[in-house]
Amino acid sequence: MVFSVYAAGRGPREAYAVLDLPATPYEIEDALEKVRLQPDEELLLEIEEYYDFGFLAPYLEDVNDLHGLNALAQRLSQFVDYESAVFAGQLKMDLEARISDITLPRLLSLANNTPYCDVVDVAVNDSQLGKFYAENGFVTELEQLPDEAFKIIEDMLDYEQIGRKMRQAEGGVFVDRSTYGYSGYVIRHKEPELVNALPAPEKPDYMILLEVCKGYFNDPDYDSDSVVQLKLPASKETLDGALNTLEAADWSELAFTCLDCRIPALIEAVNQTEDVFAVNHAASRFAKMTGEAIPKLKSLLEVTGISSLADAVRLTEQLESYVYSPEFSSPTDVARAEIKFSLIEQEAELLIPHVNLHQYGKALLENHNWTLTDYGMISRQDGQPIQKFEEQNQGMGGMCL
């Protein structure tokens, strides 16, 4: 993980989400469903923690594009060791060139440009750089000397002057570990191609995304490192195609891991389901859900504590028994709405400033068996409390929430 991000709307509601980046497409969508931005409301983002690349903090303070920030985190998470130093070095080049517009698109451009840079990780000053270049044949005046001759004069060489001249000619920079967390000498062979537009959100073409691989049976003639990504729901032909690609006789020879899910809270449940056909059935059910059905189901899963995929699928058949109100995020929201519903507008506006809205809202929630979740308020149509899955299972011997 690269960043931990707090996301909320800039309005008075208390709806928010916290997530680690990079995140999957559905984790991003899930966060936005928790935030529930109102029309024309701007998204507020705050990076609560930098797991790495803390030196970026001054340049990401006012970012409000979650998809763009996730794209940057995704690229940074893919870095091999030397690329982190290269990225830091390019940023330092911008600072030394007095480029003031170091925006999110600029940072993404620098991150994508690391293949066109080099780093000398053993050099953090001109003297070390000059010694490295001299010993490795990068100084024209010295490269023709036999090794014996070089050994005679190497103690007389001014490595600091050599390094300084090379650095100035190449336009390279030193990055220090105390500032950037990485160290070395960085040079750039190609200017970054500027990203003019940050990635737009794309609707995933799956409900559940699996990575499927062949099991290991300690048989060199049979085992395989091949993997395929499987987008669900899928047809029988697509499922059979995965079998053929992995050269497996049937699904008992394959294992899968959930990479993404329309309901991220069910990723672990998918991983614990050994039957790919049951997972495919669940994906089919989710694909048929429209409007507020998915966040409504998410609210119920949060309240009931259901953790198995089969029980979650059964719950999709009972959604009509519940009332979902995404506009409520806090007891204060509930209290204010109740007062405005019970009184004419002028009287409500006079009364609201004199009421402890939080306490009144809590009382309303308890009295009416309403429950606030990360996605809004949920309640049963019949007014009865929504039981935890363990409670209703013990009390009724079946699933009736």
Side-chain angles (χ1 to χ4, degrees):
M1 297 300 171
V2 179
F3 312 125
S4 176
V5 178
Y6 169 88
R10 293 187 181 273
R13 295 172 303 105
E14 298 179 24
Y16 71 92
V18 176
L19 73 160
D20 288 332
L21 301 182
T24 67
Y26 277 134
E27 286 173 337
I28 295 291
E29 188 167 332
D30 184 67
L32 294 175
E33 285 177 342
K34 291 177 180 178
V35 172
R36 285 161 279 151
L37 286 179
Q38 300 301 299
D40 301 322
E41 184 180 13
E42 187 179 1
L43 181 67
L44 168 68
L45 292 179
E46 293 181 4
I47 300 180
E48 294 190 322
E49 185 172 356
Y50 287 81
Y51 300 115
D52 206 347
F53 304 97
F55 58 84
L56 293 178
Y59 316 106
L60 297 177
E61 289 180 349
D62 299 320
V63 170
N64 62 2
D65 186 328
L66 184 57
H67 290 90
L69 187 60
N70 191 54
L72 176 62
Q74 184 70 50
R75 179 68 188 104
L76 296 178
S77 71
Q78 296 168 346
F79 279 179
V80 296
D81 290 342
Y82 86 92
E83 287 184 295
S84 299
V86 164
F87 176 67
Q90 290 190 97
L91 177 60
K92 187 175 181 180
M93 291 176 191
D94 275 8
L95 296 175
E96 292 187 352
R98 299 187 182 279
I99 296 177
S100 58
D101 194 23
I102 302 179
T103 60
L104 182 56
R106 178 68 183 179
L107 292 172
L108 188 55
S109 301
L110 298 182
N112 289 331
N113 198 56
T114 57
Y116 304 103
C117 303
D118 284 324
V119 61
V120 181
D121 56 6
V122 296
V124 295
N125 55 46
D126 286 334
S127 180
Q128 291 175 348
L129 180 64
K131 184 174 177 62
F132 175 84
Y133 274 172
E135 292 179 345
N136 289 276
F138 295 110
V139 181
T140 305
E141 296 82 355
L142 301 174
E143 63 180 349
Q144 301 300 326
L145 289 177
D147 291 344
E148 296 77 7
F150 179 79
K151 289 179 181 179
I152 294 173
I153 67 169
E154 64 176 333
D155 291 338
M156 295 180 284
L157 294 175
D158 186 343
Y159 290 124
E160 184 173 359
Q161 183 184 40
I162 293 172
R164 182 169 57 253
K165 289 179 65 175
M166 297 295 289
R167 173 175 55 82
Q168 291 173 346
E170 295 172 336
V173 297
F174 295 110
V175 291
D176 60 279
R177 191 171 300 278
S178 62
T179 302
Y180 295 101
Y182 308 94
S183 62
Y185 171 71
V186 178
I187 55 175
R188 183 161 59 195
H189 306 297
K190 177 183 176 183
E191 288 297 313
E193 297 180 4
L194 296 182
V195 175
N196 295 319
L198 291 170
E202 295 183 4
K203 187 76 172 179
D205 56 350
Y206 56 82
M207 290 289 110
I208 298 174
L209 179 63
L210 300 182
E211 182 177 82
V212 186
C213 66
K214 202 169 187 178
Y216 294 92
F217 300 93
N218 296 318
D219 182 353
D221 294 330
Y222 185 80
D223 294 347
S224 171
D225 292 328
S226 299
V227 297
V228 297
Q229 287 194 357
L230 185 60
K231 298 177 179 180
L232 303 180
S235 65
K236 182 180 183 301
E237 290 73 21
T238 300
L239 294 175
D240 289 343
L243 281 177
N244 294 332
T245 299
L246 295 172
E247 299 180 342
D250 56 50
W251 280 92
S252 65
E253 298 181 0
L254 300 180
F256 56 81
T257 300
C258 183
L259 301 179
D260 197 13
C261 180
R262 179 63 182 88
I263 304 175
L266 292 176
I267 287 178
E268 186 57 33
V270 173
N271 287 332
Q272 293 176 356
T273 304
E274 297 181 356
D275 184 355
V276 72
F277 299 101
V279 177
N280 196 41
H281 173 66
S284 298
R285 292 290 303 179
F286 299 155
K288 295 175 182 178
M289 300 173 73
T290 59
E292 295 179 344
I294 287 287
K296 186 177 185 179
L297 176 60
K298 290 179 178 181
S299 290
L300 278 171
L301 291 173
E302 181 180 324
V303 176
T304 60
I306 285 175
S307 59
S308 85
L309 190 62
D311 288 331
V313 170
R314 282 192 285 270
L315 191 57
T316 64
E317 302 169 359
Q318 303 179 24
L319 293 183
E320 292 184 358
S321 300
Y322 300 89
V323 178
Y324 172 60
S325 305
E327 66 272 21
F328 299 119
S329 305
S330 67
T332 298
D333 291 343
V334 175
R336 186 180 287 112
E338 182 69 11
I339 292 174
K340 289 184 176 181
F341 176 77
S342 302
L343 301 174
I344 61 174
E345 182 177 355
Q346 290 181 330
E347 291 180 352
E349 294 302 327
L350 285 173
L351 179 61
I352 285 175
H354 306 286
V355 175
N356 185 329
L357 296 176
H358 182 78
Q359 290 299 323
Y360 179 44
K362 287 180 63 176
L364 288 170
L365 290 166
E366 183 176 354
N367 184 64
H368 294 288
N369 293 318
W370 300 334
T371 304
L372 289 174
T373 73
D374 288 341
Y375 306 92
M377 190 171 75
I378 194 82
S379 62
R380 279 176 49 156
Q381 289 276 14
D382 60 9
Q384 295 300 308
I386 301 176
Q387 292 181 302
K388 291 287 186 181
F389 183 62
E390 294 83 357
E391 296 173 351
Q392 56 83 28
N393 233 13
Q394 293 171 1
M396 300 182 179
M399 186 165 177
C400 182
L401 305 175

